[in-house]
Amino acid sequence: MSPDFFSLDSLLSKEEKATQSLINKFVTKSLMPTINEHFQAGTFPKDLIPEFGKLGLLGATIKGYGCPGLSYTTYGLMMKEIERCDSGVRSFISVQGALAMYPIATFGTEEQKNKYLPKMAKGELIGCFGLTEPEGGSNPGAMTTKVIKDGSDYLLSGKKRWLTNGSIADIAIIWAKNEDGKVIGLIVDLGLKGITVKKLDAKFSLRVSYGTEMQFDNVRIKPEQVLGVIGLKGPFSCLNIARYGISWGVVGAAEACYLEALDYSLNRSPFGKPLASHQLIQAKLVTMFTEITKAQMLAYHLGRSMDQGQTIPPQISMAKMNNVSEALKIARLSRDILGANGVTYDYHTGRHLMNLETVNTYEGTEDIHRLILGQHITGISAY
Ligand code: TGC
Ligand code: FAD
């Protein structure tokens, strides 16, 4: 049972609880049994993608175009259940929904929405998102990928790095600068001439997730593939949704680590009595329990404010920064309580710990969110 010290459950509607329970059962039955194998092999459970679609996980908050139109709170609860299993699986869903479908739903034409969203909601068409470049991801304003006009077409050139889902994707949302130096978004068909996709295999974190690097050499883009937004608010709006999902997701990973450590400490007795009876172990468990409770409340209140359309981006930064950072600390504490077993695949904590190192970095590093909040408080940008 997930820790629920401040009765999060009592704050949820019947429908929200039902959806959470549906995803919980799916995770236990279909994802958990093979996740360690996939992590070790560096493979994604692709066979389950159509199932993600049927469960409403892809583009969950988008209304119409074959998407479920669920509330942000429901979406958050779904991400918590998925990341209880693995951050890399949640990443697939975040990228497809928040980073590939959301910009089409928000900035796309009717033709673009009708063409892409219904298939993406079913998982028949996979998307990825290219904002980060090899020379640095924290400052997307410094991107060098560019588009120049060629008649009514555009020619796209440059390099993007770390595109999650890239090697199994059909389309990429690519952010590039136009001739006026303004950032625009393009829906790029990955079958086009001039695109090279390289898989980034050598990573010890988020191993079920396919990271890629993409090179674009004068790729010809038709005008109907351009999104209707100009400036960095385009990609940053997508990040708001993905960062929100992460703030819930990592609560699931933290709960999984806590429950594993609690069970272990009650059932192992190196000094003739359970580990859980020692004060130092109890102190660690209490820290984990307390931080999980605080993270649940932060994510819950953020969800309700997103549903009311009242959220400001620094609030999302606080939830992403705090919840990931605390989940990472909780995973480290659990790893410690598990002793040597904590570095084996017999337990899930070690995998969560490795994954959370990535989650702390992507979607804005912990310190970038600290700087966003610093600017919000002081009015001074310290980037
Ligand atoms: P700044 O000058 O502050 O703003 C530029 C324009 O953007 C607007 N804006 C936002 N709009 C919507 N939501 C937000 N959160 C926004 N933040 C800023 C702003 O109003 C302005 O609009 P306008 O109309 O005046 O032009 O931007 P800056 O260039 O100084 O950047 C600030 C900074 C450092 C905070 C930003 O660059 C940043 O967030 N950096 C972190 C980059 C990042 O998070 N990258 C993530 C890449 S994608 C990824 O990691 C996917 S992981 C896979 C998964 O999720 O599973
Ligand atoms: P850098 O920007 O080089 O920063 C390095 C360090 O310096 C960090 O600790 C940072 O906090 C610190 N730093 C940077 N600037 C400052 C400053 N002004 N003041 C103080 N400290 C600073 N990107 C995408 O576009 N699409 C994806 O799908 C995607 N998926 C990813 C999947 C994985 C597995 C990973 C690891 C990354 C992914 N990313 C993706 C990229 C991710 O968003 C970037 O890694 C992240 O934004 C940080 O950029 P960077 O790694 O280049 O670090």
Side-chain angles (χ1 to χ4, degrees):
M1 275 282 278
S2 292
D4 192 12
F5 198 48
F6 271 49
S7 303
L8 172 62
D9 202 52
S10 70
L11 302 172
L12 304 175
S13 69
K14 225 166 99 186
E15 293 74 29
E16 287 165 345
K17 284 188 224 180
T19 307
Q20 183 177 13
S21 162
L22 181 74
I23 306 300
N24 180 290
K25 289 194 180 94
F26 165 73
V27 168
T28 303
K29 180 166 167 273
S30 304
L31 276 173
M32 289 307 296
T34 56
I35 195 65
N36 272 337
E37 271 168 52
H38 278 295
F39 190 90
Q40 286 177 72
T43 53
F44 183 76
K46 280 190 282 189
D47 52 313
L48 292 176
I49 295 174
E51 205 58 34
F52 294 165
K54 285 188 193 134
L55 288 164
L57 286 160
L58 308 177
T61 57
I62 297 170
K63 292 187 176 66
Y65 309 96
C67 303
L70 298 172
S71 70
Y72 280 102
T73 305
T74 310
Y75 167 61
L77 292 164
M78 292 165 112
M79 295 303 99
K80 179 165 104 77
E81 292 305 326
I82 295 288
E83 201 153 347
R84 172 169 79 81
C85 173
D86 192 86
S87 305
V89 179
R90 197 267 309 135
S91 262
F92 173 89
I93 294 165
S94 292
V95 171
Q96 176 80 350
L99 299 183
M101 294 172 74
Y102 176 85
I104 297 173
T106 310
F107 308 118
T109 60
E110 276 307 304
E111 287 72 23
Q112 289 168 342
K113 290 181 206 180
N114 284 315
K115 181 173 174 190
Y116 294 108
L117 294 179
K119 283 189 184 162
M120 293 178 86
K122 287 192 191 135
E124 291 170 4
L125 196 107
I126 307 298
C128 62
F129 178 89
L131 182 63
T132 305
E133 299 194 349
E135 296 311 313
S138 295
N139 183 16
M143 71 174 66
T144 58
T145 298
K146 60 177 196 296
V147 274
I148 54 168
K149 279 283 243 182
D150 186 48
S152 63
D153 294 350
Y154 293 82
L155 294 175
L156 169 68
S157 298
K159 210 178 209 182
K160 295 285 177 183
R161 190 167 160 84
W162 286 116
L163 300 93
T164 296
N165 299 350
S167 55
I168 53 167
D170 305 284
I171 58 157
I173 304 295
I174 298 296
W175 301 96
K177 279 187 183 161
N178 66 16
E179 283 151 302
D180 299 328
K182 298 266 195 296
V183 172
I184 62 166
L186 311 159
I187 308 170
V188 178
D189 176 343
L190 290 172
L192 289 174
K193 203 167 143 234
I195 303 177
T196 316
V197 180
K198 192 176 128 204
K199 203 155 157 270
L200 302 169
D201 281 325
K203 58 181 165 58
F204 51 73
S205 176
L206 230 68
R207 285 187 51 76
V208 309
S209 168
Y210 296 131
T212 51
E213 190 167 85
M214 285 189 195
Q215 168 113 20
F216 304 94
D217 294 308
N218 282 318
V219 179
R220 185 166 291 279
I221 309 286
K222 294 287 170 197
E224 56 268 24
Q225 298 306 101
V226 178
L227 290 169
V229 64
I230 293 184
L232 278 168
K233 63 176 180 289
F236 289 165
S237 309
C238 309
L239 298 183
N240 290 338
I241 312 301
R243 290 165 175 175
Y244 164 70
I246 289 172
S247 74
W248 270 108
V250 294
V251 178
E255 288 177 2
C257 292
Y258 163 76
L259 290 173
E260 197 157 72
L262 177 62
D263 182 63
Y264 193 85
S265 68
L266 287 166
N267 291 294
R268 189 173 175 90
S269 304
F271 281 85
K273 55 181 183 175
L275 282 172
S277 60
H278 298 283
Q279 288 181 355
L280 283 171
I281 299 287
Q282 286 193 7
K284 286 171 190 165
L285 292 171
V286 169
T287 298
M288 296 158 93
F289 186 60
T290 306
E291 291 309 328
I292 285 169
T293 305
K294 285 153 70 179
Q296 287 171 341
M297 290 301 124
L298 196 50
Y300 170 79
H301 282 288
L302 181 61
R304 290 288 187 237
S305 115
M306 295 273 292
D307 283 327
Q308 286 158 14
Q310 287 176 349
T311 309
I312 55 167
Q315 291 174 324
I316 301 176
S317 283
M318 181 184 280
K320 197 273 182 185
M321 176 188 75
N322 178 80
N323 288 10
V324 182
S325 165
E326 292 306 326
L328 188 51
K329 287 182 205 157
I330 287 164
R332 282 178 186 146
L333 285 173
S334 173
R335 218 278 326 133
D336 174 72
I337 291 173
L338 291 169
N341 284 323
V343 300
T344 70
Y345 286 107
D346 295 336
Y347 293 84
H348 296 286
T349 286
R351 180 171 49 76
H352 281 300
L353 174 57
M354 284 297 102
N355 284 340
L356 288 165
E357 288 291 349
T358 284
V359 184
N360 207 39
T361 286
Y362 72 23
E363 293 284 358
T365 67
E366 182 177 339
D367 279 343
I368 285 298
H369 289 294
R370 194 161 278 120
L371 294 176
I372 291 171
L373 284 161
Q375 182 175 12
H376 175 73
I377 297 167
T378 64
I380 304 165
S381 160
Y383 303 116

